[in-house]
């Protein structure tokens, strides 16, 4: 239906800190090796935010400033700004309102979405509803995480995986058949056991004891998460394709959450998509949680064509997972 109003991504931008944490650096910090990290995860280096006084909102604001420059969007034109993150500047207020303040988006309101590595997909689907409903015309969706702020650099099981970064997209209405066609989003709170931060919330407020027990960092049972991640990404990608009568051959790009190169290749194999059609930048940035998918779109932007069929797919803490099917708009 070409005339149907759909929410389309009409611009994308990314921002990563300059400081790199390489596998060689990590070899000096914990008992690990470049060989182990490369073969088990595909990661070679990650970016770490070390600018004093900067936090997730600053990376998000940089990503959005660049987005405005690229698209000609003025701060006052933004109606709504959503930030997907698990590393909000503060428990409250939300990061989105801080970003609106920093970029001068005086007419916007905003809110955060906490869905871990699926956060960008949840936020994109949410932002799209405001466009499709006709409520707003310009919605900015950001995925931003400063994972270094919740990573235990004495724990080799997790510290090799994560990095910092932010990506932002502009959503606008289109009636030419492009834009978000459909989405399948899922959640299962029983998965919280395997991937969480133990303390700092209302369940276990911060105390000397929680700090001494190093409970303010990502806790993950990697093997368990790995299995669920592949299943969740593959099943929702297949469901959204089936529902829209699309075959895998019609998919131009798969944009997977970048958690582990082995998860990415396994998802591609199960779907039957060749790796040439799969966006990958995990070797440079590691897992930036909510930022991985917009950072991929940003880096592959000049290879995308109007009408390309994209499957965005992610899995993360919660558990949360899902897939979005969209037609690229430019
Ligand atoms: N360097 C060297 N050895 C390490 C290591 C490191 N950085 N981290 C863990 N190991 C060790 C473990 O201690 C373990 O040793 P043991 O057998 O003596 O106990 C061994 O390597 C194997 O660990 P295992 O857990 O089997 O590795 P794995 O192949 O499952 O890979 C992950 C570990 C974390 C990379 C992998 O499970 C993973 O990526 N999981 C999913 C991550 C994810 O998607 N997270 C976010 C969701 S969005």
């Amino acid at each position: 239906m070409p005339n149907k109003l759909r929410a389309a991504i009409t611009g994308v931008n990314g921002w990563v800190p300059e400081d790199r944490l390489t596998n060689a650096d990590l070899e000096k910090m914990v008992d690990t090796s470049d060989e182990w990290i490369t073969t088990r995860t595909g990661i070679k280096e990650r970016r770490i935010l070390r600018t004093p006084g900067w936090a997730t909102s600053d990376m998000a604001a940089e990503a959005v400033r660049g987005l405005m420059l690229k698209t000609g969007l003025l701060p006052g034109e933004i109606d709504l700004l959503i930030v997907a993150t698990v590393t909000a500047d503060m428990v409250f207020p939300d990061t989105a309102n801080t970003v609106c303040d920093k970029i001068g988006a005086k007419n916007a309101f905003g809110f955060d979405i906490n869905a871990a590595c699926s956060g960008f997909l949840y936020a994109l689907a949410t932002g799209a509803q405001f466009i499709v409903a006709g409520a707003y015309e310009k919605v900015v969706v950001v995925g931003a995480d400063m994972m270094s702020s919740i990573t235990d650099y004495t724990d080799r099981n997790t510290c090799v995986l994560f990095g910092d970064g932010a990506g932002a997209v502009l959503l606008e209405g289109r009636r030419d058949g492009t834009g978000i066609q459909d989405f399948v989003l899922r959640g299962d709170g029983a998965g919280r056991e395997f991937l969480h931060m133990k303390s700092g919330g209302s369940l276990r407020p911060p105390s000397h004891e929680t700090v001494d027990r190093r409970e303010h960092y990502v806790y993950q049972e990697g093997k368990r998460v790995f299995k669920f991640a592949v299943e969740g990404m593959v099943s929702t990608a297949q469901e959204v394709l089936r529902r829209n009568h699309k075959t895998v051959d019609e998919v131009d790009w798969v944009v997977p959450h970048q958690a582990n190169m082995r998860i990415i290749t396994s998802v591609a194999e199960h779907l039957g998509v060749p790796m040439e059609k799969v966006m990958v930048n995990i070797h440079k940035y590691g897992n930036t949680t909510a930022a991985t998918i917009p950072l991929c779109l940003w880096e592959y932007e000049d290879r995308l064509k109007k009408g390309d069929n994209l499957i965005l797919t992610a899995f993360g803490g919660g558990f949360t997972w899902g897939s979005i099917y969209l037609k690229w708009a430019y």
Side-chain angles (χ1 to χ4, degrees):
M1 276 188 290
N3 290 328
K4 189 177 167 193
L5 179 64
R6 289 190 169 89
I9 294 176
T10 57
V12 59
N13 191 54
W15 190 87
V16 289
E18 283 193 0
D19 273 356
R20 290 156 206 260
L21 181 68
T22 65
N23 291 351
D25 297 328
L26 284 162
E27 282 176 353
K28 294 179 206 134
M29 295 160 65
V30 288
D31 181 14
T32 191
S33 65
D34 173 48
E35 199 269 331
W36 192 95
I37 302 171
T38 306
T39 53
R40 294 301 182 104
T41 73
I43 304 167
K44 297 301 274 185
E45 59 182 36
R46 330 88 196 108
R47 301 300 182 93
I48 305 293
L49 183 64
R50 291 200 177 103
T51 312
W54 275 41
T56 296
S57 69
D58 298 286
M59 297 193 295
E62 287 298 323
V64 179
R65 282 190 196 106
L67 179 71
M68 292 192 292
L69 272 178
K70 276 174 81 172
T71 58
L73 174 73
L74 299 171
E77 291 177 325
I78 301 172
D79 299 306
L80 164 63
L81 186 143
I82 307 176
V83 176
T85 188
V86 292
T87 50
D89 289 21
M90 301 183 185
V91 171
F92 77 93
D94 64 301
T95 311
N97 273 302
T98 305
V99 175
C100 287
D101 177 47
K102 287 181 175 171
I103 63 170
K106 299 286 182 209
N107 300 315
F109 80 106
F111 54 85
D112 291 2
I113 286 189
N114 179 332
C117 298
S118 311
F120 184 75
L121 297 192
Y122 276 41
L124 196 64
T126 303
Q129 302 317 302
F130 288 89
I131 303 267
V132 172
Y136 298 122
E137 289 183 0
K138 293 186 192 296
V139 174
V140 172
V141 178
V142 185
D145 268 302
M146 184 178 168
M147 292 307 290
S148 63
S149 67
I150 56 166
T151 298
D152 182 352
Y153 288 100
T154 66
D155 174 15
R156 70 175 184 176
N157 290 293
T158 50
C159 74
V160 302
L161 301 173
F162 298 102
D164 303 338
V169 299
L170 173 60
L171 279 180
E172 294 177 285
R174 286 288 180 268
R175 291 189 186 274
D176 59 0
T178 65
I180 295 173
Q181 309 289 310
D182 197 7
F183 53 86
V184 176
L185 299 176
R186 299 265 187 262
D188 181 0
R192 67 190 183 281
E193 187 186 338
F194 307 116
L195 182 50
H196 58 256
M197 189 165 107
K198 290 197 185 305
S199 293
S202 57
L203 180 62
R204 290 188 206 90
S207 67
H208 286 294
E209 289 74 27
T210 62
V211 172
D212 289 345
R213 289 198 299 264
R214 309 187 74 77
E215 289 179 356
H216 296 269
Y217 299 117
V218 175
Y219 168 83
Q220 172 171 252
E221 292 182 26
K223 250 195 196 350
R224 293 276 201 143
V225 177
F226 191 110
K227 185 171 155 283
F228 283 115
V230 175
E231 280 170 14
M233 290 162 80
V234 170
S235 63
T236 53
Q238 285 172 337
E239 187 177 342
V240 83
L241 284 173
R242 200 166 47 239
R243 238 158 62 168
N244 291 276
H245 314 291
K246 291 282 160 206
T247 65
V248 167
D249 295 339
E250 291 172 278
V251 174
D252 297 291
W253 291 100
V254 173
V255 194
H257 169 55
Q258 312 278 304
N260 183 317
M261 190 61 202
R262 289 186 295 141
I263 294 179
I264 297 171
T265 49
S266 184
V267 166
E269 267 169 33
H270 280 87
L271 287 176
V273 175
M275 282 307 289
E276 304 85 73
K277 291 183 172 184
V278 181
M279 295 190 189
V280 175
N281 60 13
I282 189 170
H283 50 292
K284 295 194 286 185
Y285 306 131
N287 182 351
T288 54
T289 303
T292 62
I293 288 179
L295 284 175
C296 278
L297 292 173
W298 169 54
E299 292 205 326
Y300 280 77
E301 185 187 19
D302 55 9
R303 294 167 66 178
L304 295 171
K305 298 185 304 297
K306 185 172 178 176
D308 276 357
N309 290 311
L310 272 63
I311 296 289
L312 281 44
T313 185
F315 185 92
F319 291 142
T320 56
W321 68 99
S323 294
I324 292 182
Y325 164 41
L326 62 84
K327 274 190 187 291
W328 196 248
Y330 60 98

